[in-house]
């Protein structure tokens, strides 16, 4: 691929904070960005030269958007299949349609991962009630029943401890089909982010630990405090997935780690990821820069970190209410997403605290690191 020259335009589908931070990274590399989003006022549009505000199903608007950009990428991967096909017929779409299809559908995703030898929780498809009964009998309870499409931040899934819970989940979760997964009794949740160029070069960031509150990412610890062999195995899995997908772009791989160090992949996302925000401040090239480099054909530098980091998400009105205190606390690196309305559960920003490489503190130190000056 001939690298795109400065001045070229990157089309980004989706207008959220991932698009915003991608657009900032693109600008630093000399590119223009054009955002496509149904939102009238969006975090990404605030920092991009051009925005198309239209539905993801509006083919005329998609055609015009494609006419005006040199390459198309995503910060939101749930674009309808026909829209994706249309864009792919008009301009290079990176990552490609095949990867998006797999990551949009938990059944295709789990099947793909198992086919290439990547472990996941045991699972089965649930299209109807008879399959629900079969799968519930085949797997021990508890289990987790999820929608196969459009689930995020714990939405569209239910932990089931009894058969009655399974029936209840089947009644309430939409759209069908569903997927039933064995419950993984994990010690921690980690993720690995890997960038891959068209020439097959890859750069992967160190695995990080992710802690959730109310099913939403709360804190990321970089690097994950785990044995080196576990970290190496996790990295190997993420790189294998990227290679087998023939990824051109960025891929985040979320995994469970059990107390004995066994890994299983929970899900993959072919885009920048919330658990990679620490890279903005702790690495010479962030996940957003890697993403832009991969899709524009620029070389991928090693994904090294110069510092250890703790990243804290600011979710909903309660967290963002502390914005002034965050700004007043020495050592915190603030990132605001420019959203004016703070709804419960909405990601409003994040902050990062850096530590010299190799000195990420233990649990008590992390609490102290997140304490604000006027707390
Ligand atoms: P997901 O939407 O698949 O990312 O799941 C959201 C969260 O639910 C994960 O981060 C886990 O904390 C939990 N979870 C999902 N699947 C399982 C599972 N099979 N076993 C245990 N916990 C799970």
């Amino acid at each position: 691929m001939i690298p795109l020259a400065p001045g070229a335009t990157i089309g980004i589908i989706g207008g959220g904070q991932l698009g915003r931070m991608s657009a900032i990274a693109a600008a630093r590399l000399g590119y223009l960005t054009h955002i496509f989003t149904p939102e009238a006022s969006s975090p990404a549009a605030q920092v991009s030269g051009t925005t198309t505000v239209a539905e993801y199903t509006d083919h005329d608007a998609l055609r015009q958007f494609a006419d005006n950009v040199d390459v198309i990428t995503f910060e939101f991967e749930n674009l309808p299949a026909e829209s994706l096909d249309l864009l792919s017929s008009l301009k290079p779409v990176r990552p490609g349609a095949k990867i998006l299809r797999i990551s949009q559908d938990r059944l295709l995703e789990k099947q793909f991962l198992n086919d290439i030898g990547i472990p996941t929780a045991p699972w089965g498809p649930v299209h109807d009630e008879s399959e629900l009964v079969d799968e519930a009998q085949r797997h021990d309870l508890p289990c987790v029943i999820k929608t196969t499409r459009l689930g995020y931040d714990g939405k569209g899934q239910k932990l089931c401890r009894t058969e009655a819970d399974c029936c209840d989940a089947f009644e309430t979760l939409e759209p069908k089909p569903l997927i039933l997964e064995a419950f993984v009794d994990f010690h921690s949740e980690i993720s690995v982010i890997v960038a891959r160029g068209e020439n097959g070069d890859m750069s992967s960031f160190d695995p990080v630990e992710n802690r959730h509150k109310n099913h939403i990412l709360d804190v990321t610890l970089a690097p994950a405090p785990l044995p080196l062999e576990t970290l190496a195995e996790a990295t190997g899995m993420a790189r294998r997935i990227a290679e087998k997908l023939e990824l051109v772009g960025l891929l985040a791989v979320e995994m469970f780690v059990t107390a004995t160090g066994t890994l299983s992949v929970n899900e993959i996302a072919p885009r920048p990821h919330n658990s990679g925000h620490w890279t903005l401040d702790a690495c010479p090239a962030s996940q957003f820069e890697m993403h832009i480099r991969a899709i524009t054909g620029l070389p991928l530098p090693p994904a090294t970190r110069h510092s250890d980091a703790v990243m804290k998400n600011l979710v909903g009105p309660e967290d963002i209410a502390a914005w002034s205190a965050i700004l007043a606390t020495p050592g915190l690196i603030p990132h605001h997403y420019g959203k004016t309305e703070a709804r419960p559960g909405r990601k409003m920003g994040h902050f990062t605290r850096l530590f010299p490489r190799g000195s990420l503190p233990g649990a008590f130190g992390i609490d102290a690191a997140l304490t604000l000056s006027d707390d």
Side-chain angles (χ1 to χ4, degrees):
M1 188 197 310
I2 302 166
L4 282 186
T9 301
I10 300 170
I12 301 178
I13 301 286
Q17 63 271 12
L18 301 175
R20 177 185 181 94
M21 292 182 270
S22 298
I24 293 170
R28 287 182 53 205
L29 295 170
Y31 298 120
L32 306 173
T33 48
H34 182 154
I35 307 297
F36 190 105
T37 171
E39 260 188 283
S41 150
S42 67
Q46 290 169 10
V47 300
S48 292
T50 318
T51 303
T52 298
V53 177
E55 294 302 321
Y56 293 127
T57 46
D58 183 338
H59 285 198
D60 290 338
L62 286 168
R63 241 183 237 110
Q64 250 184 39
F65 166 76
D67 270 353
N68 287 300
V69 303
D70 297 291
V71 62
I72 297 171
T73 192
F74 300 86
E75 67 111 49
F76 162 84
E77 69 266 37
N78 286 309
L79 197 67
E82 310 76 57
S83 304
L84 193 56
D85 290 339
L86 174 65
L87 290 177
S88 307
S89 71
L90 299 168
K91 280 287 155 69
V93 172
R94 300 185 184 127
K98 177 184 134 201
I99 301 180
L100 279 134
R101 290 225 166 83
I102 291 174
S103 67
Q104 281 175 357
D105 180 330
R106 289 188 200 265
L107 292 173
L108 290 180
E109 182 181 75
K110 289 271 187 320
Q111 190 63 58
F112 167 79
L113 291 169
N114 293 166
D115 286 349
I116 62 163
I118 298 289
T120 61
W123 60 277
V126 176
H127 291 86
D128 52 37
E129 270 176 274
S130 82
E131 242 176 356
L132 174 73
V133 174
D134 291 350
E135 293 300 332
Q137 280 171 355
R138 216 161 62 80
H139 298 94
D140 291 334
L141 293 175
C143 68
V144 184
I145 301 185
K146 304 178 179 178
T147 55
T148 53
R149 304 179 76 83
L150 301 172
Y152 68 99
D153 289 345
K155 292 187 176 70
Q157 62 172 276
K158 272 200 155 81
L159 173 64
C160 301
R161 297 184 187 282
T162 62
E163 281 178 23
D165 288 346
C166 295
C167 295
D168 185 48
F170 184 80
E171 295 292 311
T172 50
L173 291 175
E174 288 296 343
K176 308 279 188 295
L178 307 175
I179 181 169
L180 183 148
E181 294 177 16
F183 178 80
V184 180
D185 187 16
F186 57 80
H187 162 271
S188 58
E189 293 186 73
I190 63 169
S191 56
V192 183
I193 294 176
V194 53
R196 184 174 181 277
E198 202 183 37
N199 61 2
D201 283 353
M202 284 194 270
S203 272
S204 44
F205 291 98
D206 290 321
V208 296
E209 178 176 332
N210 301 315
R211 298 183 179 173
H212 297 83
K213 206 161 81 183
N214 304 325
H215 299 288
I216 301 175
L217 182 64
D218 180 35
V219 167
T220 294
L221 308 181
L226 288 171
L228 287 179
E229 317 81 82
T230 312
L231 300 180
E233 194 185 338
T235 300
M237 282 188 191
R239 291 172 81 100
R240 179 174 174 77
I241 298 168
E243 204 169 351
K244 292 288 175 188
L245 283 171
E246 297 172 37
L247 172 80
V248 181
L250 199 72
L251 181 77
V253 182
E254 294 180 38
M255 305 179 197
F256 299 127
V257 191
T258 65
T260 54
T262 308
L263 296 173
S264 54
V265 170
N266 177 35
E267 51 175 9
I268 61 175
R271 53 165 169 77
H273 195 258
N274 195 169
S275 69
H277 291 0
W278 64 279
T279 62
L280 282 166
D281 302 306
C283 302
S286 71
Q287 62 162 349
F288 300 101
E289 179 170 336
M290 289 287 190
H291 177 209
I292 299 298
R293 280 175 175 257
I295 61 162
T296 54
L298 297 179
L300 297 177
T304 45
R305 64 174 207 288
H306 50 68
S307 303
D308 290 356
V310 179
M311 188 284 308
K312 166 91 176 92
N313 259 350
L314 301 172
V315 180
E318 314 79 38
D319 283 0
I320 202 66
W323 185 246
S324 319
I326 291 163
L327 294 176
T329 304
L332 299 189
I333 307 173
H335 296 262
H336 197 290
Y337 301 156
K339 299 176 187 177
T340 44
E341 198 193 337
R343 292 190 293 272
R346 195 171 196 210
K347 291 175 183 164
M348 302 299 294
H350 72 268
F351 67 78
T352 308
R353 187 185 278 281
L354 300 181
F355 302 87
R357 195 182 152 106
S359 67
L360 186 72
F364 293 117
I366 285 167
D367 285 348
L370 299 177
T371 303
L372 307 181
S373 282
D374 67 347
D375 266 8

